[in-house]
Amino acid sequence: MTEPVKGPASYFPSIEKKYGRPIAEWTDLIRSSPLTRHMELVSWLKTEHGLGHGHANALVAHALSEDSGT
């Protein structure tokens, strides 16, 4: 039996389905933003791209953790 997906990645299937973009595209978009702080990026995704708070938070957490190597 496989372990259920936990953390930010658990949101990925619904993010891709709801907003029609792959996760890699969202993380590239986050990395190309001049913003660097977590909540600034979350607010930006919500206002500029219409994401809900949970989805935006999951994407930012994922992108920042990949960038920090954790």
Side-chain angles (χ1 to χ4, degrees):
M1 201 173 236
T2 61
E3 189 75 22
V5 177
K6 296 179 182 176
S10 66
Y11 286 90
F12 292 174
S14 61
I15 292 169
E16 289 178 334
K17 183 178 179 182
K18 184 168 185 172
Y19 304 106
R21 289 182 173 186
I23 298 306
E25 193 173 315
W26 287 112
T27 55
D28 288 345
L29 190 65
I30 290 166
R31 289 183 182 115
S32 70
S33 169
L35 303 172
T36 57
R37 297 176 55 132
H38 184 98
M39 289 310 296
E40 289 175 335
L41 288 160
V42 169
S43 294
W44 173 70
L45 287 172
K46 291 167 62 176
T47 57
E48 296 298 317
H49 299 282
L51 272 71
H53 182 81
H55 288 163
N57 191 54
L59 287 168
V60 171
H62 174 71
L64 295 180
S65 72
E66 277 190 343
D67 291 348
S68 70
T70 59

